[in-house]
Amino acid sequence: MFYLYLTVPGMPAQKFLLDRTVTTIGRSSMNDLPIPDKMLSRQHARIVRDGNGGLAIEDMGSRNGTFVNGEKLTALLPLKSGDRITVGGVTLKVESESTTRVRIDEFAGEDALDNTILKASAELLRKPTETDPRLPAEQLAKLIDSLRVVNELTIQLLRDISVDELLKFLMDKVFETLAPDRAVVLLRSPSSAELVPAVVRVAEGISAEDIRLSKTLVASVVEKKNGLLLMDTANSSGVSLSESIRLSGIKSVLAAPLENDGEVVGLIYVDCRLGHRSFEEADLRLLTSLANVAAAKIQNARLMTEAAEKRRMDQEFALAHEIQERLLPDRPPVVPGYDFHGSNVPSRQVSGDYFDYRPRPDGKVYAAIADVCGKGVGPALLMASLQASFHAWADELVPVSAMTGRLSEAISRRTGPDRFITFFLMLLDPETGDIEYTNAGHNQGLLVRRDTTVEELPSHGLPLALFPGRPYGSSRVTLAPDEFLFLYTDGITEAANPAGEEFGLDRLKAFLRKQIGTAPAEVDASLARCLEEHAAGEHFGDDRTLLMLRRVS
């Protein structure tokens, strides 16, 4: 399996799988590998796979040429692992990786590694590294060579290289010094902690059969932080291989945790087949040292990635916050005989909620509340799109059900299947107090009557964009003096206390029954105090948004 490692000045290397029959390279986004470099032609070069899995490269009449290992390409040229392709200011290195799969299995009867040399990685790393001139010449030369290899890998930490590049360099050094038949680096996934193969390499002439690691071996290395050495009894070491490994035709095994400052981010495993060399304790010490250096780079890279992601999220939320602030209305409309009021309290830096008003030319007034799934610039822009369409169609005197259907279709064209908006739209006729409304998957509206009964206004369909083209219905209610309509998002009813008990719909209804004759702004302030009291210092997990319409006495 061949890859291209793409190196752009000032950026970490990127890995590109060459799994197509033809891979085109150029400045145009239509290429399989588009590279935004002005020195490249729109269609610059292409890499072709032959029937035997080999590769060849061909320039496609580019303006500035294609170079392989420093030589300008003039005809179709076969490629091999290690070749460097230069196009413009970009370097592409051809690399091959084994198709060997790695499996972690539980072997019957293998509950312990009693006949295995296990040493804590911390102990192996504490071994003295000074060269003792009294050592036999062969041992002294091996120790000096080990120090050289560890130093070379340490120098890589000072370079701005990716984890992929470092692991490739690590494998180069492992095969150069230990001469194994097979090797694999497994890294813990930051999200699931599952061990995932990061790089696998098999020596030339060795079959690409699966590498099977026992769960016992993996646990000894990763969980207990041990370096591990298994040798065949043919070496008269007194240490014998487990039956599962012997049956696999393996003569000797080394494994070491990728550990730094007490944290294990993975492991490196190497083995040799029967008839080949057998590893020694000095090899285990070297492998453990290399693993320790690699772990420091991986930890640092992950910390940098997390910091960069946090900066990106902070910037995105700041932009989303600015977008949303511009979407929310500055003040409610002035409608004689009625009080409109809306408020939004984000649970984080930016909310995913929205409310709005829109007077119509005929004197009627639209009011809406919505909740988009997700937060950030994408959802904020989706809300901006919703608002733009809502305002444009409001002047056309569109009925609420038809307006909701139009918005659902418009939003679906701008988003994927995993994005939707719950939406409650109402239209007030100030002359009569009649309200026509459509509820698209939003929380039920609460109509509070003068006798303190609370009516729940049901839904008329699914949220916007889930099933575009499906029609919505509508319903009507009439507000009498002192009655009000209360719309809200989940952050209000789902506000939880330290025991995990939510504020809930029943508490909200009980609160609203006491608000007859109270101005909406005062209701909002009083509800905020109730929620804070209920939460008892617990962080609000979702945004709190409400919209109220009260008919004045």
Side-chain angles (χ1 to χ4, degrees), residues 314-332:
D314 287 344
Q315 292 170 352
E316 180 173 335
F317 278 156
L319 177 57
H321 181 65
E322 183 177 348
I323 293 172
Q324 190 190 31
E325 278 192 326
R326 295 174 181 271
L327 293 180
L328 297 177
D330 294 331
R331 61 184 66 86

Side-chain angles (χ1 to χ4, degrees), residues 73-151:
L73 193 62
T74 57
L76 187 69
L77 179 71
L79 290 171
K80 62 183 181 300
S81 181
D83 283 343
R84 292 183 178 274
I85 305 165
T86 304
V87 286
V90 175
T91 300
L92 307 168
K93 187 179 180 183
V94 181
E95 293 287 351
S96 62
E97 290 187 5
S98 171
T99 56
T100 299
R101 295 182 306 168
V102 180
R103 296 163 50 190
I104 299 176
D105 296 328
E106 187 165 356
F107 297 104
E110 189 180 359
D111 298 324
L113 295 172
D114 297 329
N115 297 322
T116 304
I117 293 178
L118 291 170
K119 291 200 173 181
S121 60
E123 178 187 345
L124 292 164
L125 293 170
R126 281 197 299 268
K127 289 288 184 181
T129 56
E130 294 85 1
T131 57
D132 186 346
R134 292 173 296 180
L135 287 173
E138 183 179 348
Q139 286 183 264
L140 184 60
K142 189 168 184 176
L143 178 56
I144 292 173
D145 192 47
S146 296
L147 292 171
R148 174 188 61 80
V149 173
V150 174
N151 183 61

Side-chain angles (χ1 to χ4, degrees), residues 353 371 443 489-495 531 540-545:
D353 297 350
D371 188 353
N443 296 323
T489 58
D490 292 335
I492 290 177
T493 51
E494 294 179 1
L531 291 172
F540 288 96
D542 203 355
D543 319 313
R544 289 162 288 156
T545 304

Side-chain angles (χ1 to χ4, degrees), residues 11-89:
M11 296 178 61
Q14 302 175 49
K15 187 176 178 181
F16 183 84
L17 176 62
L18 293 171
D19 58 347
R20 300 174 175 86
T21 305
V22 178
T23 300
T24 58
I25 303 167
R27 195 177 75 250
S28 169
S29 61
M30 301 300 291
N31 289 286
D32 300 312
L33 178 52
I35 303 174
D37 185 327
K38 293 182 179 179
M39 295 179 64
L40 269 68
S41 299
R42 292 182 60 80
Q43 293 183 318
H44 197 101
R46 65 177 183 174
I47 295 175
V48 183
R49 291 179 61 190
D50 61 31
N52 298 319
L55 298 178
I57 186 168
E58 180 180 26
D59 186 83
M60 299 177 69
S62 65
R63 184 176 65 255
N64 294 316
T66 301
F67 298 80
V68 178
N69 300 325
E71 298 291 329
K72 187 170 184 179
L73 193 62
T74 57
L76 187 69
L77 179 71
L79 290 171
K80 62 183 181 300
S81 181
D83 283 343
R84 292 183 178 274
I85 305 165
T86 304
V87 286

